[in-house]
Amino acid sequence: MTNDESLRSLLQAVANGNVSLDAALDELKYLAYEPVGEFAKIDNHRAIRTGFPEVIWGPGKTPSQIAQIMETMRLRNSVVMATRIEPEIYAALQPKVRDLRYYESARICAIAPPNLEPRYPGTIGILSAGTADLPVAEEAAVTAELSGFRVQRLWDVGVAGIHRLLSNRHVIANASVLIVVAGMEGALPSVVAGLADCPVIAVPTSIGYGASFGGLAPLLTMLNSCAAGVGVVNIDNGFGAAVLAGQILRTAEKLRMASSDS
């Protein structure tokens, strides 16, 4: 019972007399949260509240803990995802979790259908300033795809060679939401926002020389963008940028459906 549709289906079955109260209670007893050993409580209700299921934060957890959480979550979710998983952790998880997929550039491992198709309209365009920004950009891209959104990638189009961006303006024009990932001085989101007619989500990365201060310099640049319509997430937070982009698209679809019903 991790989404509105399945919950509605269960309640309708009870109302029709096809499911007993005891059976329904058994289905619902872990709706609020579900304990895993003594170390975790899975928020099964999150997808109903927010539209996105809980995601596992990998660092600080042992492979055994991650595996137990994933095996519990897979009983109630078609997609189970863990972020910031290093290759050696994935190697330890592989024999413990069947059908586990690893997205090495994104450092994400997931249990997901083999042919996952987009469930929502619109396209999330994701741009990276440099190749060194790819881990954060891919974290955003894979998160968005696993969440059911269509993604278009455009890598290595930083402002030091602005012609690379300008010759790919179709990516900006075709996007419903843009995620722009950049380190160093972090100027790319301002440039992109000056060309785009959709929301731009800026992601500063910790890539850069000493005065970049681990991503603080691009963060401040993005917060001070002279172009309007730029929102900024935390340093290296590709995951958060993807969820925000997804919320924008889902809200747009809700408004469209409400307008068509009126």
Side-chain angles (χ1 to χ4, degrees):
M1 293 297 102
T2 55
N3 59 62
D4 287 346
E5 186 177 340
S6 58
L7 183 57
R8 185 183 297 273
S9 176
L10 175 65
L11 294 175
Q12 187 64 57
V14 173
N16 293 340
N18 297 326
V19 174
S20 70
L21 288 176
D22 287 341
L25 180 62
D26 191 56
E27 285 283 335
L28 293 170
K29 66 182 178 182
Y30 290 124
L31 181 61
Y33 68 86
E34 185 170 358
V36 180
E38 299 294 326
F39 54 84
K41 294 179 177 64
I42 299 171
D43 182 6
N44 289 325
H45 198 264
R46 188 173 305 184
I48 297 175
R49 296 195 314 269
T50 71
F52 296 92
E54 186 171 18
V55 170
I56 302 161
W57 169 256
K61 296 182 178 69
T62 67
S64 177
Q65 289 171 336
I66 295 170
Q68 289 181 66
I69 294 170
M70 294 191 91
E71 289 294 350
T72 302
M73 291 181 69
R74 80 185 306 161
L75 300 175
R76 302 177 185 276
N77 299 274
S78 59
V79 175
V80 179
M81 184 173 121
T83 64
R84 302 299 168 95
I85 301 295
E86 300 299 338
E88 61 273 16
I89 301 298
Y90 169 66
L93 286 171
Q94 221 178 353
K96 300 176 185 291
V97 182
R98 61 182 171 82
D99 302 325
L100 189 64
R101 300 166 62 184
Y102 188 50
Y103 304 83
E104 187 171 2
S105 294
R107 294 179 296 167
I108 287 173
C109 64
I111 303 167
N115 299 311
L116 195 63
E117 295 292 331
R119 301 195 309 275
Y120 303 101
T123 298
I124 300 175
I126 305 181
L127 286 62
S128 78
T131 305
D133 301 311
L134 280 184
V136 176
E138 275 293 337
E139 181 180 75
V142 172
T143 298
E145 288 171 336
L146 290 173
S147 299
F149 297 94
R150 182 176 291 101
V151 168
Q152 186 169 14
R153 294 165 169 83
L154 180 60
W155 299 159
D156 197 23
V157 289
V159 297
I162 196 69
H163 56 290
R164 298 172 299 179
L165 174 66
L166 297 178
S167 64
N168 287 279
R169 286 187 61 180
H170 63 279
V171 176
I172 298 173
N174 293 338
S176 311
V177 182
L178 286 159
I179 296 173
V180 185
V181 183
M184 297 292 188
E185 84 294 343
L188 184 60
S190 287
V191 175
V192 171
L195 300 170
D197 65 352
C198 65
V200 174
I201 302 168
V203 187
T205 72
S206 51
I207 299 301
Y209 295 104
S212 176
F213 298 111
L216 184 59
L219 171 65
L220 293 175
T221 297
M222 293 171 185
L223 288 171
N224 284 286
S225 172
C226 63
V230 178
V232 187
V233 299
N234 206 348
I235 297 167
D236 291 337
N237 191 7
F239 168 80
V243 172
L244 177 55
Q247 293 283 40
I248 291 170
L249 290 184
R250 290 175 64 252
T251 300
E253 178 63 7
K254 282 165 59 178
L255 291 172
R256 187 194 66 78
M257 293 179 66
S259 176
S260 65
D261 290 341
S262 61

